[in-house]
Amino acid sequence: LLDMWNDPIQTGDLDSVVKCGATDDISVVTEPFCVLSLPLAPDLAQSLHQFENQEEELTGENVWISEKARQRRVTPARSLKSMRVRRWPPGGVLLHLKRFSNARRKLGAPVELPARWGRARLAAAALHWGGGAQGGHYTAAVRAAGDDDDTWYHCDDSSVTPMTAEEALDRVRQQAYLALYLPQASESSSLDWWR
Protein backbone atom coordinates (compact mmCIF):
# COMPACT_ATOMS: atom_id res chain seq x y z
CA LEU A 1 0.00 0.00 0.00
CA LEU A 2 2.77 2.40 0.85
CA ASP A 3 4.30 1.99 -2.62
CA MET A 4 1.12 3.50 -4.12
CA TRP A 5 1.57 6.62 -2.03
CA ASN A 6 3.30 9.79 -3.17
CA ASP A 7 7.00 9.88 -2.43
CA PRO A 8 7.93 11.34 0.00
CA ILE A 9 5.00 10.59 2.30
CA GLN A 10 3.36 13.83 3.37
CA THR A 11 1.94 14.14 6.87
CA GLY A 12 -1.09 15.84 8.29
CA ASP A 13 -1.53 17.36 11.75
CA LEU A 14 -3.25 15.66 14.67
CA ASP A 15 -4.13 17.61 17.83
CA SER A 16 -3.82 15.87 21.19
CA VAL A 17 -6.15 17.82 23.51
CA VAL A 18 -5.81 17.32 27.28
CA LYS A 19 -8.11 18.95 29.84
CA CYS A 20 -7.01 19.47 33.45
CA GLY A 21 -9.50 17.94 35.89
CA ALA A 22 -8.93 20.70 38.49
CA THR A 23 -9.18 23.85 36.36
CA ASP A 24 -10.65 22.76 32.99
CA ASP A 25 -7.64 24.41 31.31
CA ILE A 26 -6.69 22.79 28.00
CA SER A 27 -3.34 21.85 26.52
CA VAL A 28 -3.12 21.22 22.78
CA VAL A 29 -0.10 19.49 21.29
CA THR A 30 0.04 19.09 17.51
CA GLU A 31 1.89 16.13 16.06
CA PRO A 32 2.33 14.85 12.49
CA PHE A 33 0.54 11.74 11.22
CA CYS A 34 0.11 9.81 8.00
CA VAL A 35 -1.73 6.78 9.45
CA LEU A 36 -4.94 7.26 11.42
CA SER A 37 -6.14 4.43 13.71
CA LEU A 38 -9.93 4.37 13.90
CA PRO A 39 -12.41 2.45 16.07
CA LEU A 40 -14.80 0.10 14.29
CA ALA A 41 -18.18 1.59 13.47
CA PRO A 42 -20.79 0.84 10.80
CA ASP A 43 -19.25 3.36 8.38
CA LEU A 44 -16.29 5.69 7.90
CA ALA A 45 -18.17 8.82 9.02
CA GLN A 46 -19.15 7.18 12.32
CA SER A 47 -15.60 5.87 12.86
CA LEU A 48 -14.20 9.39 12.42
CA HIS A 49 -16.89 10.82 14.71
CA GLN A 50 -16.06 8.26 17.42
CA PHE A 51 -12.33 8.92 17.01
CA GLU A 52 -12.74 12.67 17.55
CA ASN A 53 -15.32 12.37 20.35
CA GLN A 54 -13.89 9.63 22.52
CA GLU A 55 -12.11 10.77 25.66
CA GLU A 56 -9.41 8.83 27.44
CA GLU A 57 -9.22 9.30 31.19
CA LEU A 58 -5.69 9.94 32.42
CA THR A 59 -5.03 9.12 36.08
CA GLY A 60 -2.11 8.60 38.44
CA GLU A 61 1.26 9.52 36.96
CA ASN A 62 -0.38 10.18 33.56
CA VAL A 63 -2.63 13.00 34.83
CA TRP A 64 -1.90 16.43 33.35
CA ILE A 65 -1.73 19.34 35.78
CA SER A 66 -2.27 22.81 34.33
CA GLU A 67 -0.11 25.76 35.34
CA LYS A 68 -3.11 27.27 37.15
CA ALA A 69 -3.54 24.06 39.19
CA ARG A 70 0.19 24.04 40.00
CA GLN A 71 -0.03 27.63 41.27
CA ARG A 72 -2.99 26.67 43.47
CA ARG A 73 -1.10 23.51 44.56
CA VAL A 74 -4.02 21.37 43.48
CA THR A 75 -3.47 17.94 41.94
CA PRO A 76 -6.44 16.72 39.92
CA ALA A 77 -7.49 13.10 40.27
CA ARG A 78 -7.82 12.87 36.50
CA SER A 79 -7.48 14.67 33.22
CA LEU A 80 -9.20 13.89 29.91
CA LYS A 81 -7.48 13.40 26.56
CA SER A 82 -9.04 13.48 23.11
CA MET A 83 -7.69 13.60 19.55
CA ARG A 84 -8.79 15.55 16.51
CA VAL A 85 -7.54 15.97 12.98
CA ARG A 86 -6.33 19.51 12.42
CA ARG A 87 -5.10 18.99 8.82
CA TRP A 88 -5.30 15.92 6.62
CA PRO A 89 -2.16 14.79 4.78
CA PRO A 90 -2.28 16.43 1.33
CA GLY A 91 -1.13 13.28 -0.46
CA GLY A 92 -3.79 10.98 1.03
CA VAL A 93 -4.18 8.97 4.20
CA LEU A 94 -3.83 5.39 5.37
CA LEU A 95 -6.66 4.40 7.71
CA HIS A 96 -6.03 1.61 10.21
CA LEU A 97 -9.23 -0.05 11.42
CA LYS A 98 -8.90 -1.44 14.94
CA ARG A 99 -10.12 -4.96 14.12
CA PHE A 100 -8.42 -6.64 17.07
CA SER A 101 -9.48 -6.37 20.73
CA ASN A 102 -7.06 -6.20 23.66
CA ALA A 103 -7.86 -9.89 24.17
CA ARG A 104 -6.37 -10.53 20.67
CA ARG A 105 -9.72 -11.44 19.18
CA LYS A 106 -10.75 -10.24 15.76
CA LEU A 107 -13.67 -7.83 15.62
CA GLY A 108 -15.52 -8.94 12.53
CA ALA A 109 -18.12 -6.18 12.23
CA PRO A 110 -18.42 -4.84 8.68
CA VAL A 111 -17.41 -1.23 8.02
CA GLU A 112 -18.72 0.68 4.99
CA LEU A 113 -15.73 2.34 3.36
CA PRO A 114 -16.89 4.42 0.40
CA ALA A 115 -15.22 4.12 -3.00
CA ARG A 116 -15.09 7.93 -2.99
CA TRP A 117 -14.56 10.07 0.08
CA GLY A 118 -14.88 13.73 -0.78
CA ARG A 119 -12.45 14.21 -3.66
CA ALA A 120 -10.38 11.16 -2.77
CA ARG A 121 -10.77 7.57 -3.90
CA LEU A 122 -10.19 4.30 -2.15
CA ALA A 123 -7.01 3.10 -3.85
CA ALA A 124 -6.29 -0.10 -1.95
CA ALA A 125 -7.03 -2.05 1.20
CA ALA A 126 -5.18 -4.70 3.16
CA LEU A 127 -7.60 -7.50 4.04
CA HIS A 128 -7.25 -9.87 6.98
CA TRP A 129 -8.71 -13.36 6.68
CA GLY A 130 -9.02 -15.46 9.83
CA GLY A 131 -10.44 -15.27 13.32
CA GLY A 132 -7.73 -13.72 15.47
CA ALA A 133 -4.45 -11.91 15.88
CA GLN A 134 -2.55 -15.20 16.32
CA GLY A 135 -3.17 -16.35 12.79
CA GLY A 136 -4.83 -15.62 9.53
CA HIS A 137 -3.78 -14.43 6.12
CA TYR A 138 -3.38 -10.99 4.57
CA THR A 139 -4.33 -10.14 1.00
CA ALA A 140 -4.98 -6.85 -0.77
CA ALA A 141 -7.69 -5.30 -2.91
CA VAL A 142 -6.14 -2.75 -5.30
CA ARG A 143 -7.96 -0.39 -7.65
CA ALA A 144 -6.57 -0.09 -11.17
CA ALA A 145 -4.56 3.04 -11.89
CA GLY A 146 -6.21 5.93 -13.71
CA ASP A 147 -9.79 7.06 -13.62
CA ASP A 148 -11.28 3.57 -13.86
CA ASP A 149 -13.27 2.91 -10.67
CA ASP A 150 -14.64 -0.41 -11.93
CA THR A 151 -11.45 -2.46 -12.26
CA TRP A 152 -9.94 -3.92 -9.12
CA TYR A 153 -7.45 -6.69 -8.43
CA HIS A 154 -7.25 -9.15 -5.57
CA CYS A 155 -3.60 -9.81 -4.66
CA ASP A 156 -3.05 -13.03 -2.74
CA ASP A 157 0.63 -13.96 -2.48
CA SER A 158 1.70 -14.63 -6.09
CA SER A 159 -1.88 -14.73 -7.42
CA VAL A 160 -3.43 -11.56 -8.87
CA THR A 161 -6.99 -11.84 -10.12
CA PRO A 162 -9.33 -9.15 -11.46
CA MET A 163 -12.59 -8.41 -9.66
CA THR A 164 -15.43 -5.95 -10.02
CA ALA A 165 -15.79 -2.84 -7.88
CA GLU A 166 -18.80 -4.45 -6.21
CA GLU A 167 -16.75 -7.53 -5.24
CA ALA A 168 -13.85 -5.36 -4.06
CA LEU A 169 -16.01 -3.09 -1.91
CA ASP A 170 -17.77 -6.09 -0.39
CA ARG A 171 -14.42 -7.64 0.59
CA VAL A 172 -13.22 -4.28 1.91
CA ARG A 173 -16.41 -3.90 3.97
CA GLN A 174 -15.99 -7.34 5.55
CA GLN A 175 -12.21 -7.73 5.89
CA ALA A 176 -10.39 -4.36 5.64
CA TYR A 177 -7.64 -3.82 8.16
CA LEU A 178 -5.97 -0.91 6.33
CA ALA A 179 -7.51 1.38 3.71
CA LEU A 180 -5.55 3.81 1.54
CA TYR A 181 -7.36 6.90 0.26
CA LEU A 182 -5.58 9.00 -2.36
CA PRO A 183 -6.75 12.27 -3.90
CA GLN A 184 -7.55 12.18 -7.58
CA ALA A 185 -4.66 13.32 -9.76
CA SER A 186 -6.24 16.75 -10.24
CA GLU A 187 -6.58 17.13 -6.44
CA SER A 188 -3.12 15.88 -5.42
CA SER A 189 -1.90 19.28 -4.23
CA SER A 190 -5.08 20.16 -2.37
CA LEU A 191 -5.25 20.06 1.41
CA ASP A 192 -9.05 19.80 1.12
CA TRP A 193 -9.34 16.51 -0.79
CA TRP A 194 -11.56 14.92 1.90
CA ARG A 195 -14.32 17.53 1.47
Side-chain angles (χ1 to χ4, degrees):
L1 294 179
L2 293 177
D3 286 342
M4 295 180 70
W5 218 332
N6 292 340
D7 187 22
I9 293 174
Q10 299 168 321
T11 61
D13 295 321
L14 195 61
D15 285 344
S16 174
V17 182
V18 182
K19 184 164 121 178
C20 177
T23 63
D24 288 340
D25 286 342
I26 292 176
S27 167
V28 179
V29 175
T30 302
E31 50 196 56
F33 82 98
C34 59
V35 178
L36 190 63
S37 292
L38 297 175
L40 284 190
D43 59 42
L44 179 55
Q46 290 179 61
S47 286
L48 288 166
H49 179 77
Q50 285 181 25
F51 172 79
E52 292 197 332
N53 288 286
Q54 67 186 17
E55 290 184 324
E56 176 186 356
E57 186 173 303
L58 305 176
T59 59
E61 64 184 38
N62 294 322
V63 73
W64 176 70
I65 305 169
S66 69
E67 188 57 37
K68 205 182 289 182
R70 286 184 203 285
Q71 291 171 355
R72 294 181 191 165
R73 295 190 174 138
V74 175
T75 301
R78 68 185 184 126
S79 51
L80 296 173
K81 178 181 176 181
S82 62
M83 305 294 282
R84 66 178 177 225
V85 176
R86 174 182 290 242
R87 183 181 65 89
W88 289 94
V93 67
L94 185 61
L95 302 177
H96 162 242
L97 299 176
K98 296 181 181 178
R99 283 214 177 266
F100 297 102
S101 70
N102 290 337
R104 305 185 129 218
R105 289 198 175 99
K106 184 174 179 181
L107 305 174
V111 179
E112 286 291 333
L113 295 173
R116 292 183 181 268
W117 176 30
R119 289 178 282 177
R121 292 189 300 177
L122 180 61
L127 312 174
H128 180 267
W129 305 89
Q134 300 298 331
H137 182 64
Y138 288 94
T139 65
V142 181
R143 183 178 48 81
D147 291 329
D148 182 10
D149 282 338
D150 295 328
T151 304
W152 285 75
Y153 296 95
H154 184 234
C155 304
D156 184 355
D157 294 332
S158 63
S159 170
V160 178
T161 55
M163 60 181 169
T164 66
E166 185 178 332
E167 290 171 316
L169 292 175
D170 186 54
R171 289 182 185 183
V172 166
R173 176 173 43 273
Q174 300 296 331
Q175 305 296 336
Y177 177 69
L178 298 171
L180 177 61
Y181 278 92
L182 297 176
Q184 293 177 338
S186 61
E187 306 293 340
S188 62
S189 63
S190 171
L191 296 176
D192 296 328
W193 55 260
W194 67 92
R195 291 187 183 161

Tab-separated table of all heavy atoms in Angstrom, residues 4 7 16 19 34 39 49 67-68 70 74 78 80 87 99 105 108-109 114 119 128-129 137 160-161 166-167 180 182:
chain	number	residue	atom	x	y	z
A	4	MET	N	2.066	2.752	-3.294
A	4	MET	CA	1.122	3.500	-4.116
A	4	MET	C	1.106	4.980	-3.744
A	4	MET	O	0.594	5.810	-4.476
A	4	MET	CB	-0.292	2.943	-3.949
A	4	MET	CG	-0.458	1.537	-4.461
A	4	MET	SD	-2.139	0.977	-4.222
A	4	MET	CE	-2.994	1.998	-5.408
A	7	ASP	N	5.700	9.956	-3.074
A	7	ASP	CA	7.005	9.883	-2.427
A	7	ASP	C	7.607	11.275	-2.431
A	7	ASP	O	7.724	11.881	-3.497
A	7	ASP	CB	7.900	8.899	-3.181
A	7	ASP	CG	9.205	8.639	-2.469
A	7	ASP	OD1	9.285	8.852	-1.250
A	7	ASP	OD2	10.134	8.238	-3.166
A	16	SER	N	-3.574	16.605	19.952
A	16	SER	CA	-3.823	15.874	21.189
A	16	SER	C	-4.279	16.922	22.205
A	16	SER	O	-3.524	17.829	22.554
A	16	SER	CB	-2.534	15.191	21.661
A	16	SER	OG	-2.726	14.602	22.920
A	19	LYS	N	-7.412	18.013	28.964
A	19	LYS	CA	-8.114	18.953	29.836
A	19	LYS	C	-7.800	18.625	31.291
A	19	LYS	O	-7.961	17.487	31.723
A	19	LYS	CB	-9.613	18.855	29.577
A	19	LYS	CG	-10.448	19.842	30.361
A	19	LYS	CD	-11.830	19.925	29.750
A	19	LYS	CE	-12.892	19.551	30.720
A	19	LYS	NZ	-14.241	19.667	30.195
A	34	CYS	N	0.474	10.225	9.357
A	34	CYS	CA	0.112	9.807	7.998
A	34	CYS	C	-0.768	8.564	8.056
A	34	CYS	O	-1.373	8.192	7.062
A	34	CYS	CB	1.340	9.587	7.126
A	34	CYS	SG	2.480	8.370	7.742
A	39	PRO	N	-11.585	3.510	15.485
A	39	PRO	CA	-12.408	2.452	16.068
A	39	PRO	C	-13.374	1.909	15.019
A	39	PRO	O	-13.705	2.597	14.050
A	39	PRO	CB	-13.161	3.175	17.192
A	39	PRO	CG	-13.214	4.608	16.750
A	39	PRO	CD	-11.948	4.840	15.971
A	49	HIS	N	-16.169	10.128	13.624
A	49	HIS	CA	-16.889	10.817	14.708
A	49	HIS	C	-16.491	10.228	16.066
A	49	HIS	O	-16.206	10.967	17.009
A	49	HIS	CB	-18.401	10.712	14.484
A	49	HIS	CG	-19.192	11.377	15.561
A	49	HIS	ND1	-19.348	12.737	15.637
A	49	HIS	CD2	-19.848	10.852	16.628
A	49	HIS	CE1	-20.080	13.034	16.700
A	49	HIS	NE2	-20.395	11.915	17.318
A	67	GLU	N	-0.918	24.788	34.591
A	67	GLU	CA	-0.113	25.760	35.342
A	67	GLU	C	-0.949	26.404	36.446
A	67	GLU	O	-0.464	26.643	37.549
A	67	GLU	CB	0.437	26.827	34.381
A	67	GLU	CG	1.433	27.767	35.017
A	67	GLU	CD	2.637	27.062	35.635
A	67	GLU	OE1	3.107	26.061	35.072
A	67	GLU	OE2	3.095	27.518	36.704
A	68	LYS	N	-2.216	26.681	36.160
A	68	LYS	CA	-3.110	27.272	37.153
A	68	LYS	C	-3.279	26.339	38.359
A	68	LYS	O	-3.268	26.777	39.509
A	68	LYS	CB	-4.468	27.562	36.513
A	68	LYS	CG	-5.254	28.654	37.192
A	68	LYS	CD	-6.616	28.855	36.536
A	68	LYS	CE	-6.466	29.493	35.170
A	68	LYS	NZ	-7.764	29.737	34.518
A	70	ARG	N	-1.097	24.054	39.302
A	70	ARG	CA	0.194	24.043	40.003
A	70	ARG	C	0.314	25.248	40.945
A	70	ARG	O	0.784	25.133	42.081
A	70	ARG	CB	1.355	24.071	39.012
A	70	ARG	CG	1.591	22.789	38.296
A	70	ARG	CD	2.848	22.898	37.404
A	70	ARG	NE	2.842	21.953	36.321
A	70	ARG	CZ	3.078	20.663	36.451
A	70	ARG	NH1	3.350	20.169	37.620
A	70	ARG	NH2	3.039	19.865	35.404
A	74	VAL	N	-2.929	22.336	43.563
A	74	VAL	CA	-4.022	21.368	43.475
A	74	VAL	C	-3.602	20.293	42.479
A	74	VAL	O	-3.151	20.611	41.372
A	74	VAL	CB	-5.327	22.045	42.990
A	74	VAL	CG1	-6.422	21.018	42.796
A	74	VAL	CG2	-5.753	23.139	43.936
A	78	ARG	N	-7.830	13.348	37.881
A	78	ARG	CA	-7.823	12.872	36.500
A	78	ARG	C	-7.744	14.046	35.546
A	78	ARG	O	-8.004	15.192	35.912
A	78	ARG	CB	-9.068	12.051	36.202
A	78	ARG	CG	-10.321	12.884	36.203
A	78	ARG	CD	-11.569	12.064	36.016
A	78	ARG	NE	-12.720	12.953	35.936
A	78	ARG	CZ	-13.587	12.954	34.954
A	78	ARG	NH1	-13.464	12.122	33.953
A	78	ARG	NH2	-14.590	13.778	34.952
A	80	LEU	N	-8.568	14.559	31.049
A	80	LEU	CA	-9.195	13.890	29.912
A	80	LEU	C	-8.448	14.232	28.632
A	80	LEU	O	-8.104	15.393	28.394
A	80	LEU	CB	-10.656	14.315	29.775
A	80	LEU	CG	-11.576	13.931	30.935
A	80	LEU	CD1	-12.950	14.555	30.755
A	80	LEU	CD2	-11.675	12.425	31.044
A	87	ARG	N	-5.342	18.884	10.265
A	87	ARG	CA	-5.105	18.991	8.824
A	87	ARG	C	-4.805	17.605	8.284
A	87	ARG	O	-3.963	16.897	8.814
A	87	ARG	CB	-3.914	19.926	8.567
A	87	ARG	CG	-3.612	20.165	7.102
A	87	ARG	CD	-2.400	21.071	6.911
A	87	ARG	NE	-1.169	20.457	7.398
A	87	ARG	CZ	-0.365	19.687	6.663
A	87	ARG	NH1	-0.667	19.422	5.412
A	87	ARG	NH2	0.728	19.180	7.179
A	99	ARG	N	-9.363	-3.711	14.230
A	99	ARG	CA	-10.124	-4.956	14.118
A	99	ARG	C	-9.768	-5.980	15.183
A	99	ARG	O	-10.330	-7.066	15.209
A	99	ARG	CB	-9.905	-5.587	12.744
A	99	ARG	CG	-10.698	-4.896	11.660
A	99	ARG	CD	-11.141	-5.879	10.607
A	99	ARG	NE	-11.945	-5.236	9.603
A	99	ARG	CZ	-13.269	-5.193	9.642
A	99	ARG	NH1	-13.919	-5.743	10.623
A	99	ARG	NH2	-13.938	-4.588	8.669
A	105	ARG	N	-8.641	-10.852	19.979
A	105	ARG	CA	-9.719	-11.442	19.176
A	105	ARG	C	-10.052	-10.487	18.042
A	105	ARG	O	-10.037	-9.273	18.207
A	105	ARG	CB	-10.961	-11.652	20.046
A	105	ARG	CG	-10.791	-12.752	21.045
A	105	ARG	CD	-12.141	-13.227	21.570
A	105	ARG	NE	-11.957	-14.347	22.437
A	105	ARG	CZ	-11.942	-14.278	23.754
A	105	ARG	NH1	-12.130	-13.125	24.351
A	105	ARG	NH2	-11.770	-15.354	24.489
A	108	GLY	N	-15.130	-8.676	13.906
A	108	GLY	CA	-15.522	-8.936	12.526
A	108	GLY	C	-16.628	-8.068	11.986
A	108	GLY	O	-17.130	-8.328	10.900
A	109	ALA	N	-17.016	-7.015	12.700
A	109	ALA	CA	-18.116	-6.178	12.233
A	109	ALA	C	-17.762	-5.510	10.902
A	109	ALA	O	-16.654	-5.012	10.732
A	109	ALA	CB	-18.432	-5.103	13.269
A	114	PRO	N	-16.416	4.006	1.718
A	114	PRO	CA	-16.886	4.415	0.397
A	114	PRO	C	-15.781	4.357	-0.656
A	114	PRO	O	-14.601	4.554	-0.347
A	114	PRO	CB	-17.357	5.855	0.622
A	114	PRO	CG	-16.562	6.336	1.784
A	114	PRO	CD	-16.352	5.129	2.665
A	119	ARG	N	-13.119	14.238	-2.356
A	119	ARG	CA	-12.455	14.214	-3.660
A	119	ARG	C	-11.326	13.189	-3.697
A	119	ARG	O	-10.424	13.271	-4.524
A	119	ARG	CB	-11.957	15.602	-4.002
A	119	ARG	CG	-13.135	16.536	-4.331
A	119	ARG	CD	-12.663	17.917	-4.621
A	119	ARG	NE	-12.348	18.609	-3.380
A	119	ARG	CZ	-11.853	19.824	-3.313
A	119	ARG	NH1	-11.593	20.492	-4.394
A	119	ARG	NH2	-11.611	20.382	-2.150
A	128	HIS	N	-7.683	-8.802	6.077
A	128	HIS	CA	-7.254	-9.869	6.984
A	128	HIS	C	-8.300	-10.973	6.980
A	128	HIS	O	-9.471	-10.729	7.216
A	128	HIS	CB	-7.067	-9.346	8.407
A	128	HIS	CG	-6.626	-10.408	9.357
A	128	HIS	ND1	-7.511	-11.144	10.115
A	128	HIS	CD2	-5.394	-10.892	9.647
A	128	HIS	CE1	-6.840	-12.021	10.837
A	128	HIS	NE2	-5.557	-11.884	10.576
A	129	TRP	N	-7.850	-12.185	6.704
A	129	TRP	CA	-8.712	-13.361	6.684
A	129	TRP	C	-8.320	-14.239	7.864
A	129	TRP	O	-7.159	-14.544	8.055
A	129	TRP	CB	-8.533	-14.130	5.378
A	129	TRP	CG	-8.765	-13.271	4.169
A	129	TRP	CD1	-7.833	-12.528	3.508
A	129	TRP	CD2	-9.998	-13.031	3.513
A	129	TRP	NE1	-8.411	-11.849	2.467
A	129	TRP	CE2	-9.749	-12.144	2.444
A	129	TRP	CE3	-11.293	-13.486	3.715
A	129	TRP	CZ2	-10.741	-11.698	1.597
A	129	TRP	CZ3	-12.280	-13.037	2.851
A	129	TRP	CH2	-12.011	-12.165	1.811
A	137	HIS	N	-4.480	-14.658	7.388
A	137	HIS	CA	-3.779	-14.431	6.124
A	137	HIS	C	-4.140	-13.034	5.629
A	137	HIS	O	-5.285	-12.610	5.736
A	137	HIS	CB	-4.230	-15.496	5.119
A	137	HIS	CG	-3.549	-15.419	3.794
A	137	HIS	ND1	-2.194	-15.615	3.631
A	137	HIS	CD2	-4.047	-15.153	2.563
A	137	HIS	CE1	-1.885	-15.487	2.346
A	137	HIS	NE2	-2.993	-15.211	1.679
A	160	VAL	N	-2.741	-12.837	-8.672
A	160	VAL	CA	-3.426	-11.561	-8.874
A	160	VAL	C	-4.589	-11.815	-9.810
A	160	VAL	O	-4.396	-12.239	-10.954
A	160	VAL	CB	-2.478	-10.496	-9.467
A	160	VAL	CG1	-3.228	-9.191	-9.722
A	160	VAL	CG2	-1.284	-10.263	-8.555
A	161	THR	N	-5.808	-11.579	-9.307
A	161	THR	CA	-6.995	-11.840	-10.120
A	161	THR	C	-7.871	-10.595	-10.184
A	161	THR	O	-8.023	-9.888	-9.188
A	161	THR	CB	-7.816	-13.011	-9.539
A	161	THR	OG1	-8.122	-12.736	-8.175
A	161	THR	CG2	-7.054	-14.312	-9.624
A	166	GLU	N	-17.841	-3.926	-7.189
A	166	GLU	CA	-18.796	-4.451	-6.207
A	166	GLU	C	-18.156	-5.548	-5.354
A	166	GLU	O	-18.296	-5.551	-4.123
A	166	GLU	CB	-20.036	-4.987	-6.924
A	166	GLU	CG	-21.129	-5.444	-5.978
A	166	GLU	CD	-22.357	-5.930	-6.728
A	166	GLU	OE1	-22.618	-5.460	-7.858
A	166	GLU	OE2	-23.057	-6.787	-6.165
A	167	GLU	N	-17.444	-6.477	-5.989
A	167	GLU	CA	-16.753	-7.531	-5.242
A	167	GLU	C	-15.689	-6.938	-4.320
A	167	GLU	O	-15.566	-7.331	-3.159
A	167	GLU	CB	-16.081	-8.516	-6.207
A	167	GLU	CG	-17.024	-9.386	-6.988
A	167	GLU	CD	-16.300	-10.182	-8.065
A	167	GLU	OE1	-15.435	-9.625	-8.775
A	167	GLU	OE2	-16.605	-11.385	-8.174
A	180	LEU	N	-6.319	2.680	2.051
A	180	LEU	CA	-5.546	3.806	1.537
A	180	LEU	C	-6.441	4.671	0.659
A	180	LEU	O	-6.965	4.198	-0.357
A	180	LEU	CB	-4.348	3.297	0.727
A	180	LEU	CG	-3.469	4.360	0.065
A	180	LEU	CD1	-2.832	5.284	1.093
A	180	LEU	CD2	-2.402	3.686	-0.801
A	182	LEU	N	-6.443	8.063	-1.651
A	182	LEU	CA	-5.582	8.999	-2.357
A	182	LEU	C	-6.443	10.015	-3.093
A	182	LEU	O	-7.484	9.669	-3.650
A	182	LEU	CB	-4.703	8.264	-3.374
A	182	LEU	CG	-3.717	7.248	-2.808
A	182	LEU	CD1	-3.000	6.532	-3.944
A	182	LEU	CD2	-2.722	7.918	-1.878
